[in-house]
Amino acid sequence: MAVVEVNLGKDSYNIHIGAGILSELGQLMRQFAFTAKALVVSDENVGAIYGAVVVETLRQAGFSPRLVCVKPGETAKAYETAMTLYTAAIEEGLDRRSPIVALGGGVVGDLAGFVAATYLRGVPFIQVPTSLLAQVDSSVGGKVAINHPLGKNLIGAFYQPQLVVIDTAVLATLPRRELYAGLAEVIKYGLIADRDFFHYINEKSNAILAMDNNVLTAIISRSCRIKADIVEQDARESALRMVLNFGHTIAHAIEAGTGFAQFNHGEAVAIGMRGAALVSHYMGIAEPEVVENVCGTIRRFHLPLSVAGCSAAKLHSYLLHDKKVIGGKINWILLRSVGEVQVHSDVPEQIVSRVLAEIT
Ligand code: ADP
Ligand code: ZN
């Protein structure tokens, strides 16, 4: 059991992490002055497994919850789905102090968070992330959004939850591929901020892959702490927060270049981190061992190192279309060593081409 405090002034909140704490959710929510009506948003996969436990713990704590399950997958992050959730909230009579609980992966968190941020100009938001990716990424940062047919996450807000509850035991039912994807972001935190943590992840790889609850609690709380330290200094996403984008410039190009079908986000980030390490090396910033360290760790957690079926040229054009590229300049987050990053906007074209050729 661990608690990570996210300090954002009046928007501060705690993240509770531990095995089996899903059934304590109701009790943990009683500390707030919420009214009894509550909306629990989940998807059909997660809702079928954990919906009943959550409804029960909320009932026992005096809430009257209504569970709404959306279709699994990115397509649920749509205006139409948000509308059905507003309708449920209105029909149930949720008021300004009624909580909306997100029970699911990143999709459910983004969608339910967006509805919580906008229904009645904002109602309390509780996050119960059930995928490793959502536990280590979306629990901190306050980014909520839905997609527009013309682009992902185009309609959204910064909206902080009042409480985050992470039960490591729910990862037992998460598809293995999704577990590995979450580990890509965990590896990222070690690389950008914490050399000891990076070594810990490698040392404990067997325990992690065997889902040891104590080790999972340790890596999730450390990841949340690292992200919180960065977000606390930069809540509105200016320069500092850029380091969280390590591996993501190439990852976004890979996701778009392969039609969002071949790789999930974490897999694209794994390849992107290898690419960023190679750029760091060719720029003369990082020793070759850094690249080997990155690749070895990615391999250890069953993540891919290269893209098949997308040419370097195609990747390059998507790279320049990234929304974070301003005036044709890419801000590269590069590694000096494990745990130490530098931002560079002057990476020569030849180095980028060489690296893209190497990862395709
Ligand atoms: P992500 O969390 O990776 O951003 P999703 O919200 O789409 O993306 O979740 C990934 C998939 O894993 C979805 O199909 C979701 O239903 C499923 N899922 C999430 N958490 C669990 C869990 N604990 N057990 C089983 N399936 C889960
Ligand atoms: Zn990411």
Side-chain angles (χ1 to χ4, degrees):
M1 179 69 187
V3 178
V4 173
E5 292 175 18
V6 183
N7 300 304
L8 297 167
K10 64 173 178 36
D11 289 336
S12 297
Y13 63 92
N14 287 341
I15 306 174
H16 296 253
I17 306 151
I21 65 169
L22 197 59
S23 56
E24 289 165 36
L25 175 66
Q27 206 52 39
L28 286 166
M29 282 171 61
R30 284 181 63 160
Q31 61 182 297
F32 304 96
F34 296 152
T35 43
K37 302 251 168 79
L39 188 67
V40 180
V41 181
S42 194
D43 71 22
E44 287 165 4
N45 297 337
V46 178
I49 314 174
Y50 303 107
V53 179
V54 168
V55 165
E56 182 54 27
T57 174
L58 291 186
R59 281 210 182 112
Q60 278 184 3
F63 292 97
S64 339
R66 164 147 171 211
L67 173 67
V68 179
C69 294
V70 303
K71 292 256 174 287
E74 190 72 23
T75 49
K77 274 174 62 173
Y79 161 76
E80 292 80 2
T81 329
M83 269 318 237
T84 65
L85 296 176
Y86 295 129
T87 305
I90 297 162
E91 282 174 359
E92 284 298 304
L94 266 76
D95 63 37
R96 288 212 165 82
R97 303 228 317 244
S98 311
I100 294 185
V101 180
L103 170 69
V107 167
V108 166
D110 279 5
L111 170 70
F114 178 78
V115 170
T118 48
Y119 176 61
L120 303 178
R121 298 194 185 84
V123 298
F125 177 40
I126 311 292
Q127 257 180 314
V128 186
T130 62
S131 71
L132 182 61
L133 187 70
Q135 292 174 345
V136 298
D137 191 26
S138 351
S139 325
V140 184
K143 290 208 255 175
V144 298
I146 56 174
N147 299 329
H148 187 278
L150 297 178
K152 279 190 168 196
N153 296 326
L154 292 182
I155 314 191
F158 284 98
Y159 197 66
Q160 306 299 336
Q162 303 218 352
L163 169 73
V164 179
V165 173
I166 298 178
D167 188 342
T168 56
V170 305
L171 297 176
T173 55
L174 184 71
R176 287 302 278 189
R177 192 175 167 187
E178 301 292 340
L179 179 79
Y180 304 148
L183 288 168
E185 300 278 356
V186 173
I187 296 166
K188 181 192 80 177
Y189 291 121
L191 288 173
I192 63 170
D194 190 339
R195 181 191 175 83
D196 293 342
F197 182 49
F198 183 79
H199 292 312
Y200 177 84
I201 299 162
N202 279 289
E203 264 164 39
K204 298 286 184 188
S205 61
N206 289 334
I208 294 169
L209 294 170
M211 313 273 250
D212 177 291
N213 278 306
N214 290 329
V215 177
L216 288 174
T217 299
I219 64 167
I220 294 165
S221 52
R222 188 69 202 132
S223 297
C224 290
R225 184 70 257 155
I226 291 171
K227 184 163 183 187
D229 283 341
I230 295 167
V231 169
E232 281 166 10
Q233 295 173 57
D234 184 13
R236 286 268 158 174
E237 200 160 66
S238 49
L240 181 72
R241 200 161 161 170
M242 250 168 30
V243 302
L244 291 168
N245 255 0
F246 176 70
H248 280 62
T249 309
I250 295 178
H252 292 149
I254 293 172
E255 290 182 281
T258 55
F260 296 95
Q262 196 179 340
F263 298 103
N264 62 33
H265 178 67
E267 291 163 347
V269 168
I271 304 167
M273 291 193 295
R274 177 188 175 213
L278 284 167
V279 172
S280 314
H281 175 48
Y282 296 144
M283 286 289 286
I285 297 166
E287 299 294 332
E289 296 80 68
V290 175
V291 180
E292 285 162 28
N293 255 328
V294 172
C295 293
T297 308
I298 289 172
R299 227 180 264 119
R300 183 162 290 140
F301 292 105
H302 307 284
L303 288 159
L305 285 165
S306 54
V307 191
C310 180
S311 70
K314 190 170 174 191
L315 271 191
H316 210 152
S317 73
Y318 276 101
L319 207 58
L320 297 170
H321 281 123
D322 196 281
K323 65 171 182 265
K324 297 215 163 83
V325 176
I326 297 159
K329 276 229 182 283
I330 302 174
N331 279 314
W332 286 93
I333 318 298
L334 300 181
L335 284 182
R336 250 176 73 80
S337 63
V338 170
E340 208 186 343
V341 284
Q342 271 183 359
V343 181
H344 282 256
S345 55
D346 56 352
V347 175
E349 284 275 318
Q350 312 92 275
I351 290 186
V352 177
S353 302
R354 179 177 172 193
V355 167
L356 293 179
E358 210 165 320
I359 64 169
T360 46

mmCIF file of all heavy atoms in Angstrom, residues 11-32:
data_model
loop_
_atom_site.group_PDB
_atom_site.id
_atom_site.type_symbol
_atom_site.label_atom_id
_atom_site.label_comp_id
_atom_site.label_asym_id
_atom_site.label_seq_id
_atom_site.Cartn_x
_atom_site.Cartn_y
_atom_site.Cartn_z
ATOM 1 N N ASP A 11 -5.917 22.278 -6.096
ATOM 2 C CA ASP A 11 -6.273 21.095 -6.897
ATOM 3 C C ASP A 11 -5.494 19.838 -6.487
ATOM 4 O O ASP A 11 -5.402 18.883 -7.245
ATOM 5 C CB ASP A 11 -6.010 21.366 -8.385
ATOM 6 C CG ASP A 11 -7.002 22.352 -8.975
ATOM 7 O OD1 ASP A 11 -8.110 22.472 -8.428
ATOM 8 O OD2 ASP A 11 -6.664 23.003 -9.982
ATOM 9 N N SER A 12 -4.885 19.859 -5.291
ATOM 10 C CA SER A 12 -4.092 18.705 -4.846
ATOM 11 C C SER A 12 -4.977 17.493 -4.620
ATOM 12 O O SER A 12 -6.163 17.621 -4.305
ATOM 13 C CB SER A 12 -3.369 19.047 -3.540
ATOM 14 O OG SER A 12 -2.461 20.099 -3.760
ATOM 15 N N TYR A 13 -4.387 16.317 -4.788
ATOM 16 C CA TYR A 13 -5.124 15.075 -4.528
ATOM 17 C C TYR A 13 -4.150 13.939 -4.248
ATOM 18 O O TYR A 13 -2.942 14.086 -4.467
ATOM 19 C CB TYR A 13 -6.021 14.727 -5.729
ATOM 20 C CG TYR A 13 -5.287 14.442 -7.023
ATOM 21 C CD1 TYR A 13 -4.924 13.154 -7.373
ATOM 22 C CD2 TYR A 13 -4.949 15.483 -7.894
ATOM 23 C CE1 TYR A 13 -4.244 12.890 -8.565
ATOM 24 C CE2 TYR A 13 -4.268 15.226 -9.081
ATOM 25 C CZ TYR A 13 -3.919 13.934 -9.407
ATOM 26 O OH TYR A 13 -3.238 13.671 -10.580
ATOM 27 N N ASN A 14 -4.686 12.831 -3.748
ATOM 28 C CA ASN A 14 -3.848 11.673 -3.443
ATOM 29 C C ASN A 14 -4.141 10.510 -4.378
ATOM 30 O O ASN A 14 -5.281 10.295 -4.789
ATOM 31 C CB ASN A 14 -4.086 11.195 -2.008
ATOM 32 C CG ASN A 14 -3.465 12.154 -0.995
ATOM 33 O OD1 ASN A 14 -2.596 12.955 -1.336
ATOM 34 N ND2 ASN A 14 -3.914 12.062 0.240
ATOM 35 N N ILE A 15 -3.073 9.744 -4.652
ATOM 36 C CA ILE A 15 -3.198 8.499 -5.413
ATOM 37 C C ILE A 15 -2.940 7.351 -4.436
ATOM 38 O O ILE A 15 -1.878 7.291 -3.818
ATOM 39 C CB ILE A 15 -2.160 8.440 -6.551
ATOM 40 C CG1 ILE A 15 -2.252 9.678 -7.449
ATOM 41 C CG2 ILE A 15 -2.327 7.160 -7.373
ATOM 42 C CD1 ILE A 15 -1.156 9.753 -8.521
ATOM 43 N N HIS A 16 -3.920 6.488 -4.253
ATOM 44 C CA HIS A 16 -3.749 5.321 -3.380
ATOM 45 C C HIS A 16 -3.448 4.115 -4.252
ATOM 46 O O HIS A 16 -4.160 3.853 -5.218
ATOM 47 C CB HIS A 16 -5.028 5.060 -2.578
ATOM 48 C CG HIS A 16 -5.355 6.175 -1.624
ATOM 49 N ND1 HIS A 16 -5.203 6.048 -0.262
ATOM 50 C CD2 HIS A 16 -5.790 7.433 -1.838
ATOM 51 C CE1 HIS A 16 -5.545 7.201 0.323
ATOM 52 N NE2 HIS A 16 -5.912 8.054 -0.620
ATOM 53 N N ILE A 17 -2.397 3.398 -3.897
ATOM 54 C CA ILE A 17 -1.967 2.248 -4.710
ATOM 55 C C ILE A 17 -1.806 1.017 -3.824
ATOM 56 O O ILE A 17 -1.169 1.095 -2.769
ATOM 57 C CB ILE A 17 -0.607 2.556 -5.386
ATOM 58 C CG1 ILE A 17 -0.680 3.868 -6.179
ATOM 59 C CG2 ILE A 17 -0.175 1.406 -6.310
ATOM 60 C CD1 ILE A 17 0.628 4.611 -6.278
ATOM 61 N N GLY A 18 -2.393 -0.091 -4.231
ATOM 62 C CA GLY A 18 -2.211 -1.327 -3.462
ATOM 63 C C GLY A 18 -3.026 -2.467 -4.056
ATOM 64 O O GLY A 18 -3.906 -2.242 -4.889
ATOM 65 N N ALA A 19 -2.711 -3.681 -3.645
ATOM 66 C CA ALA A 19 -3.430 -4.853 -4.146
ATOM 67 C C ALA A 19 -4.747 -5.014 -3.414
ATOM 68 O O ALA A 19 -4.778 -5.028 -2.181
ATOM 69 C CB ALA A 19 -2.571 -6.104 -3.959
ATOM 70 N N GLY A 20 -5.837 -5.068 -4.159
ATOM 71 C CA GLY A 20 -7.148 -5.315 -3.564
ATOM 72 C C GLY A 20 -7.864 -4.079 -3.042
ATOM 73 O O GLY A 20 -8.921 -4.193 -2.403
ATOM 74 N N ILE A 21 -7.343 -2.875 -3.318
ATOM 75 C CA ILE A 21 -7.970 -1.692 -2.723
ATOM 76 C C ILE A 21 -9.221 -1.206 -3.479
ATOM 77 O O ILE A 21 -9.872 -0.250 -3.051
ATOM 78 C CB ILE A 21 -6.991 -0.505 -2.504
ATOM 79 C CG1 ILE A 21 -6.463 0.056 -3.820
ATOM 80 C CG2 ILE A 21 -5.835 -0.908 -1.614
ATOM 81 C CD1 ILE A 21 -5.723 1.370 -3.616
ATOM 82 N N LEU A 22 -9.569 -1.915 -4.545
ATOM 83 C CA LEU A 22 -10.799 -1.547 -5.266
ATOM 84 C C LEU A 22 -12.006 -1.570 -4.319
ATOM 85 O O LEU A 22 -12.874 -0.696 -4.379
ATOM 86 C CB LEU A 22 -11.022 -2.544 -6.408
ATOM 87 C CG LEU A 22 -11.996 -2.135 -7.507
ATOM 88 C CD1 LEU A 22 -11.532 -0.851 -8.166
ATOM 89 C CD2 LEU A 22 -12.115 -3.240 -8.555
ATOM 90 N N SER A 23 -12.036 -2.552 -3.441
ATOM 91 C CA SER A 23 -13.191 -2.691 -2.534
ATOM 92 C C SER A 23 -13.185 -1.636 -1.419
ATOM 93 O O SER A 23 -14.119 -1.567 -0.635
ATOM 94 C CB SER A 23 -13.223 -4.096 -1.938
ATOM 95 O OG SER A 23 -12.005 -4.359 -1.305
ATOM 96 N N GLU A 24 -12.120 -0.828 -1.353
ATOM 97 C CA GLU A 24 -12.089 0.266 -0.367
ATOM 98 C C GLU A 24 -12.466 1.599 -0.988
ATOM 99 O O GLU A 24 -12.464 2.631 -0.315
ATOM 100 C CB GLU A 24 -10.684 0.388 0.253
ATOM 101 C CG GLU A 24 -10.345 -0.752 1.179
ATOM 102 C CD GLU A 24 -8.853 -0.815 1.503
ATOM 103 O OE1 GLU A 24 -8.227 0.250 1.633
ATOM 104 O OE2 GLU A 24 -8.332 -1.937 1.584
ATOM 105 N N LEU A 25 -12.806 1.589 -2.273
ATOM 106 C CA LEU A 25 -13.100 2.835 -2.978
ATOM 107 C C LEU A 25 -14.195 3.652 -2.275
ATOM 108 O O LEU A 25 -14.036 4.854 -2.058
ATOM 109 C CB LEU A 25 -13.500 2.529 -4.437
ATOM 110 C CG LEU A 25 -13.945 3.719 -5.274
ATOM 111 C CD1 LEU A 25 -12.787 4.686 -5.508
ATOM 112 C CD2 LEU A 25 -14.495 3.253 -6.628
ATOM 113 N N GLY A 26 -15.303 2.988 -1.926
ATOM 114 C CA GLY A 26 -16.411 3.691 -1.279
ATOM 115 C C GLY A 26 -15.961 4.389 -0.009
ATOM 116 O O GLY A 26 -16.238 5.585 0.206
ATOM 117 N N GLN A 27 -15.238 3.654 0.816
ATOM 118 C CA GLN A 27 -14.720 4.201 2.078
ATOM 119 C C GLN A 27 -13.830 5.412 1.816
ATOM 120 O O GLN A 27 -13.946 6.445 2.468
ATOM 121 C CB GLN A 27 -13.931 3.089 2.784
ATOM 122 C CG GLN A 27 -13.842 3.222 4.282
ATOM 123 C CD GLN A 27 -15.190 3.412 4.947
ATOM 124 O OE1 GLN A 27 -16.176 2.804 4.551
ATOM 125 N NE2 GLN A 27 -15.232 4.294 5.931
ATOM 126 N N LEU A 28 -12.925 5.304 0.840
ATOM 127 C CA LEU A 28 -12.010 6.404 0.521
ATOM 128 C C LEU A 28 -12.772 7.636 0.024
ATOM 129 O O LEU A 28 -12.343 8.771 0.232
ATOM 130 C CB LEU A 28 -10.993 5.959 -0.542
ATOM 131 C CG LEU A 28 -9.892 5.020 -0.050
ATOM 132 C CD1 LEU A 28 -9.153 4.360 -1.217
ATOM 133 C CD2 LEU A 28 -8.897 5.779 0.836
ATOM 134 N N MET A 29 -13.927 7.396 -0.633
ATOM 135 C CA MET A 29 -14.703 8.535 -1.159
ATOM 136 C C MET A 29 -15.510 9.244 -0.084
ATOM 137 O O MET A 29 -15.995 10.351 -0.306
ATOM 138 C CB MET A 29 -15.624 8.055 -2.291
ATOM 139 C CG MET A 29 -14.872 7.865 -3.618
ATOM 140 S SD MET A 29 -15.855 7.064 -4.894
ATOM 141 C CE MET A 29 -17.208 8.226 -5.080
ATOM 142 N N ARG A 30 -15.655 8.614 1.075
ATOM 143 C CA ARG A 30 -16.477 9.225 2.134
ATOM 144 C C ARG A 30 -15.852 10.457 2.764
ATOM 145 O O ARG A 30 -16.525 11.244 3.410
ATOM 146 C CB ARG A 30 -16.802 8.191 3.210
ATOM 147 C CG ARG A 30 -17.877 7.226 2.733
ATOM 148 C CD ARG A 30 -18.212 6.235 3.788
ATOM 149 N NE ARG A 30 -18.776 6.877 4.972
ATOM 150 C CZ ARG A 30 -19.499 6.236 5.866
ATOM 151 N NH1 ARG A 30 -19.749 4.955 5.729
ATOM 152 N NH2 ARG A 30 -19.966 6.874 6.913
ATOM 153 N N GLN A 31 -14.525 10.612 2.587
ATOM 154 C CA GLN A 31 -13.845 11.786 3.172
ATOM 155 C C GLN A 31 -14.281 13.098 2.507
ATOM 156 O O GLN A 31 -14.028 14.171 3.027
ATOM 157 C CB GLN A 31 -12.333 11.618 3.040
ATOM 158 C CG GLN A 31 -11.895 11.525 1.583
ATOM 159 C CD GLN A 31 -10.412 11.313 1.416
ATOM 160 O OE1 GLN A 31 -9.609 12.151 1.797
ATOM 161 N NE2 GLN A 31 -10.046 10.175 0.833
ATOM 162 N N PHE A 32 -14.902 12.996 1.325
ATOM 163 C CA PHE A 32 -15.321 14.218 0.623
ATOM 164 C C PHE A 32 -16.797 14.482 0.892
ATOM 165 O O PHE A 32 -17.546 13.560 1.216
ATOM 166 C CB PHE A 32 -15.103 14.054 -0.888
ATOM 167 C CG PHE A 32 -13.691 13.700 -1.253
ATOM 168 C CD1 PHE A 32 -13.332 12.377 -1.465
ATOM 169 C CD2 PHE A 32 -12.715 14.684 -1.367
ATOM 170 C CE1 PHE A 32 -12.027 12.039 -1.796
ATOM 171 C CE2 PHE A 32 -11.401 14.347 -1.700
ATOM 172 C CZ PHE A 32 -11.056 13.025 -1.912
#
